[in-house]
């Protein structure tokens, strides 16, 4: 009587573990919500420059900066033995024929690493004493990638695009180079003769 009950429990556990997961393709939402992109009233080069400044202002290290592409990384340590690396990639594409409107596409990839300890042991044989072995053990620590995920938080991207817009607005407010030039002093007038 006990054996059939154990078999039934094992079968139920296996059935629970084998429940179908939702396929990744069904999790994708190809809609026009625009979570990962925004339109800017600027050229692609200006948009990417503003994105570069936005990343720099938040402590990201820029690994790639071109007229239409910016990529930066930042490291976090949320827990003692957990390390997270955020990789943000911005692509700027022209959206008008004159090139004065652009679309900024951004994706943030979050890689998670954990500290894994592995014990290794070796034996030390001494030939003079015969077959004497002394166990020697050591421990190796290594950061192992345990997960990778594209950030899908709409609020995260809204804040990033707001910061890019802030830097674009700053660039538009800057005066022309001529306005920064110091004024040319007037020629001194000759003193009037008495």
């Amino acid at each position: 009587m006990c054996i059939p009950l154990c078999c039934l429990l094992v079968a139920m556990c296996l059935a629970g573990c084998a429940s179908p997961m939702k396929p990744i393709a069904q999790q994708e939402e190809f809609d026009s919500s625009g979570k990962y992109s925004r339109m800017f009233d600027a050229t692609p080069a200006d948009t990417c420059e503003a994105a570069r400044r936005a990343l720099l202002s938040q402590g990201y290290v820029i690994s790639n900066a071109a007229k239409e592409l910016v990529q930066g990384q930042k490291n976090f340590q949320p827990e003692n033995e957990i390390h997270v690396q955020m990789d943000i990639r911005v692509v700027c594409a022209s959206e008008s024929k004159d090139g004065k409107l652009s679309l900024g596409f951004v994706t943030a990839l979050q890689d998670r690493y954990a500290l894994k300890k592995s014990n290794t042991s070796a034996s030390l044989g001494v030939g003079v004493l015969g077959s004497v072995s002394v166990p020697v053990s050591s421990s190796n620590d290594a950061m192992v990638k345990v997960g990778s995920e594209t950030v899908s938080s709409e609020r995260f991207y809204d804040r990033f695009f707001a910061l890019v817009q802030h830097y674009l607005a700053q660039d538009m407010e800057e005066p022309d180079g001529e306005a920064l030039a110091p004024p040319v002093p007037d020629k001194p007038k000759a003193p009037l003769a008495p």
Side-chain angles (χ1 to χ4, degrees), residues 1 4 12 24 31 61 67 156:
M1 182 91 172
M12 287 174 56
I24 296 295
D31 58 13
V61 175
K67 285 186 176 182
F156 173 87

Side-chain angles (χ1 to χ4, degrees), residues 1 18 27 37 42 52 59 125 134 160 176:
M1 182 91 172
Q27 295 178 25
S37 65
R52 185 184 73 87
V134 178
F160 175 76
D176 294 339

Side-chain angles (χ1 to χ4, degrees), residues 39-47 93-94 99-103 168 172:
M39 178 104 50
F40 293 100
D41 191 14
T43 65
D46 289 344
T47 300
S94 181
K100 297 197 176 180
L101 278 178
S102 62
L103 266 173
L168 278 173
M172 290 177 191

